[in-house]
Amino acid sequence: LTGWHCPGCGGTRMVQALLKGDFLAAMRFNPLLFSAGAVLAAAAVWLIVRSLRREWRPLCIPDGRGWLAIPAALLLFLVIRNTPWYGMVFF
């Protein structure tokens, strides 16, 4: 509708590159989703190790403004991604 690239554009190509083992190409297709996937994978490993050690306790979700970082990062990436110099400077 606007002609802008959304924060999720390139996600499918990123997954295809990951399945082929080409991590650099995956990062080029969508750096935000690539980074978020790495953080989520690390969190999953941490939870699995924690549960295997019998240290399982319910995780509490913190209240506060920290959760606003997610939409702020999406908005910032949306703006940066649609600048003319995005491809030249970042990749």
Side-chain angles (χ1 to χ4, degrees):
L1 187 64
T2 64
W4 283 28
H5 297 287
C6 72
C9 286
T12 304
R13 290 178 299 208
M14 181 201 69
V15 171
Q16 288 176 338
L18 284 175
L19 290 174
K20 292 178 183 177
D22 192 356
F23 295 104
L24 187 58
M27 181 70 172
R28 285 184 182 142
F29 285 131
N30 196 320
L32 183 70
L33 289 179
F34 183 83
S35 303
V39 169
L40 289 175
V45 168
W46 178 71
L47 285 173
I48 290 169
V49 167
R50 198 172 155 207
S51 67
L52 292 175
R53 289 184 178 173
R54 309 268 190 240
E55 297 174 8
W56 182 255
R57 286 170 282 164
L59 297 174
C60 42
I61 299 172
D63 294 332
R65 295 183 206 148
W67 291 100
L68 293 176
I70 296 170
L74 287 172
L75 183 63
L76 182 64
F77 183 65
L78 172 72
V79 171
I80 291 173
R81 181 171 224 186
N82 288 289
T83 58
W85 60 84
Y86 170 74
M88 295 181 291
V89 174
F90 294 102
F91 300 102

